[in-house]
Amino acid sequence: MNGPIRRVAVATMALFLALILNLSYAYIARQSDLLAHPQNRRVTDARFAQDRGPIMAGTTSIAKTTTVKDQYKFQRSYADGKLYAPVTGFYSYLYGASALEKSHSSQLAGADDSQFLNRLINLATGSTPRGGSVETTLDARAQEAAWNALAGRKGAVVALDTRTGAVLALVTTPSYDPNDLATHDLAASQRAWKKLQADTDKPMANRATKEIYPPGSTFKLITSAAALEGDLTPDSIIDASSYQLPGSTRVISGNCAGSQITLAQALRVSCNPGFARLGVSLGQDALRTQAEKFGFGTSFLSDIGGAASKFPDELDDAQTAMSSIGEFEVAATPLQMAMVSAAIDNDGVVMQPYIVKRVLNADLSVVSQTRPQQLSVAVSKSTAQELRTMMVGVVESGTGRLAQVSGLEVGGKTGTAHSDNERRPYAWFTAYARELHLAVGVFIEDAEIPANDIAGGTVAAPVAKAVIEAMR
C-alpha cells in the first residue's frame, strides 16, 4: 500500500473511531439530557404512552394511569385533583410536568438509573414496562379536614409530624384540576392552561411552600424564643406601654391589659408595643440568628418546590421593632410557621420536612426511602417547655381560644399581618397538639374581617382546630 492510500485509510479509521466515540458518549453521558429535551417529540410521544406508576397518599392512589383506546394507550388521571394538586402536580403532553410528577418523573416512568435491573428483566422476559410508585407522607384525614375548613378561602394549611418532619397535610386554595392539563384532547388542555394562566386568583400558586408572606404576630414565638434563650423567663416583666419607634413619629399601641406585664401575658394577648420594645432590646442579630435556627433562610421540600422564609438584613431600631412583631420585611411560608410550632413541641429540635415516604419499583421492591433527619436545634429543651406553657396560655385564655380541643394539650399563636392600608389583613395561626405529635400552620390571605380585629384567632385558629380534631 503506497503512502497516500495509507494516509487516507488512517484518516478514515480515525473518523470512524471519532464517530463511534461520539455516539457512545451521546448514548451514555447525554442520554438523560437528550431524552428530556423539549424538542424531542418522539421521546415525548413514547413517554406519554407509558404505564406510569401511581402517586399514593396512604393506600389511596392520588395519581394513576389507566389504559385507553387512543394513540397514547395510557391516560394519567388524578383522584381529588384539586385537593392534592400542589403535591402531585400535573403531567401534560404540552406543558410538561410539575411537583412530584416532575421531580420523580424518571422513577414514575420506570426509567431511573436505580430501576435499571428491572428494565433488563422486562427486556429479557418481554414484559410490558411499568413505572414505579411514589408513596407520600400525606394523611387523607388531615388533608381533607384542612381543605374543608379553608372552605374555598384563599390560603394554605400545612400539618407536620413533629417527631419526624413528615408532612401530613399540604393544602392550598384556590387550586386547579390536573386532569384538565393531562387530557389527551390537546386543544382542551391548551384552553385550560390559558385560563389558569389568566386567572388573577393564581390557582396554580403553591401558597403553602412557594409563597412568602408577612407572618404577623406568629413571629412573636421567635422573638420570645430569643428572649428566653437570653436572660428572660416567662415571668419577666416587660414594658407594654405605647411605644414610639426610635427615630420615627409612629407610635405602636395596643390593649395589653397593663403597662407592666409578664412575657407570658404579652404573648397571650399578643402585645405589640411590648414585643416591639423587646425586639429592639434583643437586637437584630439575636432575632435573625433565632429565626435562622428555626429554618429561616433555607428552602424546603424541593420535590414540590419551596421558597426560603426571610428575616431582613441591616435594620435600624425602628425596623427591628417592626420585624420583631412579624412585619416590615419579614416573610414566611405557612410551612415555615408550622415548623416553628413543630420544633417547640419536639423539645427544640427542628426536623427536616419531607413529603415522599418512599419510592417503590413496579414489583414493590424499595428504590429509596426517606429517613427522618434533624435540621437544627432551635432552642434548649427547657426553653421549648417554657414556650409550650406560654402557647397553651394563648389557647386557653388568650387570642387563640377558638383552637381549643377538649382533652388535648393545644398550644398556639395567632397572627394578623398588614402589608398596606387598603387590603384586609392576612390571618395566621400556628399550633401544636402535644399528644398527637402534630403541628399545624394556617394562613388565610383575606381574613374578611375589619383590620383592627385579631384575624388569626377568629379566622385561622378554627382551621387548625379542624385538622387537629381530624387526627385524634
Side-chain angles (χ1 to χ4, degrees), residues 187-308:
S189 177
Q190 192 171 39
R191 288 193 299 272
W193 178 264
K194 289 181 178 179
K195 183 178 179 181
L196 288 169
Q197 296 300 303
D199 193 330
T200 56
D201 283 338
K202 299 181 179 179
M204 298 185 78
N206 186 340
R207 292 173 169 84
T209 66
K210 296 181 72 173
E211 306 289 333
I212 55 176
Y213 309 90
S217 293
T218 58
F219 191 83
K220 290 172 184 171
L221 290 173
I222 295 174
T223 305
S224 296
L228 294 172
E229 288 285 273
D231 298 328
L232 273 65
T233 71
D235 294 325
S236 295
I237 301 299
I238 65 171
D239 187 349
S241 60
S242 295
Y243 180 49
Q244 183 172 338
L245 296 181
S248 171
T249 59
R250 180 172 180 178
V251 176
I252 297 179
S253 59
N255 183 10
C256 301
S259 59
Q260 300 292 312
I261 62 176
T262 65
L263 178 61
Q265 182 178 330
L267 190 74
R268 185 164 59 248
V269 300
S270 201
C271 177
N272 280 340
F275 273 98
R277 190 179 278 109
L278 177 60
V280 173
S281 68
L282 290 169
Q284 60 168 308
D285 292 339
L287 292 172
R288 186 178 301 105
T289 298
Q290 189 63 72
E292 289 172 353
K293 286 181 178 180
F294 276 108
F296 275 68
T298 303
S299 58
F300 304 103
L301 300 183
S302 59
D303 24 20
I304 63 172

Side-chain angles (χ1 to χ4, degrees), residues 47 52-55 76 87-88 91 97-112 114-115 131-136 301-304 354-360 367-370:
R47 283 198 172 178
R52 198 170 172 85
I55 300 174
R76 195 66 166 166
V87 177
T88 62
Y91 187 69
S98 67
L100 293 184
E101 289 280 27
K102 181 178 181 179
S103 61
H104 288 74
S105 185
S106 59
Q107 292 99 326
L108 290 166
D112 193 67
S114 61
Q115 297 162 308
S133 59
V134 172
E135 291 186 359
T136 71
L301 300 183
S302 59
D303 24 20
I304 63 172
Y354 65 97
I355 202 163
V356 173
K357 184 177 182 180
R358 58 181 182 170
V359 178
L360 304 177
V367 176
S368 63
Q369 185 163 349
T370 304

Side-chain angles (χ1 to χ4, degrees), residues 345 385 388-389 392 396 405 407-411 432-435:
D345 180 66
Q385 174 61 64
R388 286 197 298 271
T389 301
V392 167
E396 289 187 349
V405 179
L408 295 181
E409 177 189 318
V410 177
Y432 73 86
R434 186 71 173 160
E435 292 84 354

Side-chain angles (χ1 to χ4, degrees), residues 392-404:
V392 167
V394 171
V395 173
E396 289 187 349
S397 59
T399 58
R401 292 182 181 88
L402 294 182
Q404 293 176 9

